Amino acid sequence: MPALVGADDLVAIDELAHACLWSGARLSGATVLPYPHNDLARLRALLAERRAGFGKALILTDGVFSMDGDLAPLGALGPLAREFDAG
């Protein structure tokens, strides 16, 4: 994560993301903002409200959430990431 984002950047992370993603996000020094699990409406609102204040932005999620087997809505996350220039 520190190779992708730093102190002037934003990481939006699914609240149920794996601990390794949380650790990497925190180690990066970026501002880390969780969004409710798989809630793209809340993620969109978070990005709309906060994205402009940061150099880069990154959306973090698991593909498959191992504890409950949920799938991330990757098909919808891609366009959202492009809309807000959030890798």
Side-chain angles (χ1 to χ4, degrees):
M1 225 47 69
L4 300 174
V5 291
D8 297 327
D9 302 323
L10 170 69
V11 174
I13 186 168
D14 188 295
E15 67 184 0
L16 296 186
H18 192 275
C20 66
L21 294 177
W22 277 95
S23 294
R26 289 184 182 122
L27 286 172
S28 74
T31 298
V32 179
L33 299 175
Y35 63 91
H37 178 57
N38 280 346
D39 188 339
L40 297 187
R42 291 289 300 277
L43 174 58
R44 175 182 295 283
L46 182 150
L47 291 170
E49 179 181 322
R50 302 290 304 271
R51 171 64 181 102
F54 296 93
K56 293 184 278 185
L58 185 65
I59 298 170
L60 287 182
T61 187
D62 291 9
V64 176
F65 292 84
S66 60
M67 294 300 289
D68 55 13
D70 283 352
L71 300 177
L74 299 178
L77 278 171
L80 186 60
R82 285 188 290 282
E83 178 182 345
F84 288 97
D85 191 25

